[in-house]
Amino acid sequence: MGKTLVSYQTLYGSTKEAASLISEVLENDYNLEVDLHRFEEKKEHPDPSKYENIIIGSCIFHGKWGNNAETFLKEDFQGKKIAIFICAGFAGEKKLYKQAYKTFLKEVVDKYPHIKPISMKAFGGRVPKSKLPHIWFLRASKKLPSFRSDNRNLEDVKNWAVELGKKFTTNG
Ligand SMILES: Cc1cc2nc3c(=O)[nH]c(=O)nc-3n(C[C@H](O)[C@H](O)[C@H](O)COP(=O)(O)O)c2cc1C
């Protein structure tokens, strides 16, 4: 079995937390060899040709992916199993989930038609206390009064990792 890459971009850490949990499950429960990679300014992208399975995750700010994570989507992933996730405040609220999945995940990945992900998932996120009240959060609370500054769900992340582990370790 070839190696697995879990790559992610984060600002406040929730996407890192999800990426770390995913890699733990893949290593511990599926015996996969995993490299974790954080996208950062001026740091080179990992080389996709080294991996059999590639997971790409991004935080969402003002409706956008992290620049470096999105640039990575342009790479050649032919013959790889690709899975994509985002962490976004809207995705953690039931009422906003569908819209978040469509605008932050489906529409972004559709811009890169060479990518055929085996799975895509939108997770909730967390606006750190030090950033509250932030104008973005105040706007979100107007849209949905019950909007939570922390709507992460690590159980969801774990379940997705298990699903991926199965897909990565079986043919097809
Ligand atoms: C300034 C700001 C802008 C944000 N914009 C959005 C947004 O457009 N849509 C959304 O769903 N969440 C938005 N969020 C919430 C973030 O997606 C959430 O905090 C996420 O967990 C951040 O990921 P990170 O912890 O990996 O950096 C925003 C948060 C802040 C502080």
Side-chain angles (χ1 to χ4, degrees):
M1 173 68 57
K3 286 203 328 179
T4 299
L5 173 69
V6 180
S7 59
Y8 65 93
Q9 186 156 353
T10 188
L11 189 59
Y12 299 136
S14 68
T15 315
K16 176 183 182 173
E17 185 181 50
S20 302
L21 180 56
I22 291 165
S23 73
E24 261 174 51
V25 170
L26 296 178
E27 282 175 335
N28 298 340
D29 298 0
Y30 293 91
N31 226 0
L32 291 165
E33 193 182 339
V34 179
D35 284 347
L36 253 184
H37 175 88
R38 178 175 178 170
F39 292 110
E40 287 174 71
E41 291 291 331
K42 295 186 190 148
K43 195 168 150 190
E44 281 189 9
H45 280 162
D47 175 1
S49 70
K50 287 189 185 158
Y51 300 96
E52 186 168 341
N53 312 307
I54 298 178
I55 299 172
I56 305 163
S58 183
C59 49
I60 299 291
F61 286 93
H62 301 296
K64 292 208 171 351
W65 274 50
N67 244 334
N68 295 308
E70 184 164 352
T71 312
F72 189 57
L73 296 178
K74 295 179 181 165
E75 296 276 349
D76 179 5
F77 298 117
Q78 215 173 0
K80 321 275 174 204
K81 288 182 182 169
I82 305 293
I84 299 181
F85 74 95
I86 53 138
C87 290
F90 287 178
E93 302 293 340
K94 245 187 178 162
K95 286 188 177 157
L96 304 175
Y97 180 83
K98 265 193 180 167
Q99 185 64 28
Y101 182 92
K102 182 170 169 275
T103 52
F104 305 148
L105 203 43
K106 185 160 185 328
E107 287 176 6
V108 174
V109 176
D110 281 353
K111 290 196 281 177
Y112 307 93
H114 68 292
I115 301 183
K116 312 262 182 267
I118 57 163
S119 186
M120 297 203 290
K121 199 83 183 176
F123 298 117
R126 177 194 51 207
V127 179
K129 284 204 173 80
S130 61
K131 296 288 162 193
L132 289 173
H134 189 285
I135 185 74
W136 177 84
F137 181 76
L138 296 176
R139 285 200 187 122
S141 311
K142 268 199 181 151
K143 200 175 160 85
L144 185 71
S146 56
F147 193 89
R148 295 164 297 159
S149 60
D150 183 353
N151 55 26
R152 290 168 300 156
N153 182 339
L154 291 179
E155 207 47 40
D156 264 5
V157 177
K158 203 171 171 188
N159 290 338
W160 191 59
V162 167
E163 195 188 300
L164 290 183
K166 287 181 192 154
K167 289 187 175 174
F168 288 163
T169 50
T170 52
N171 292 325

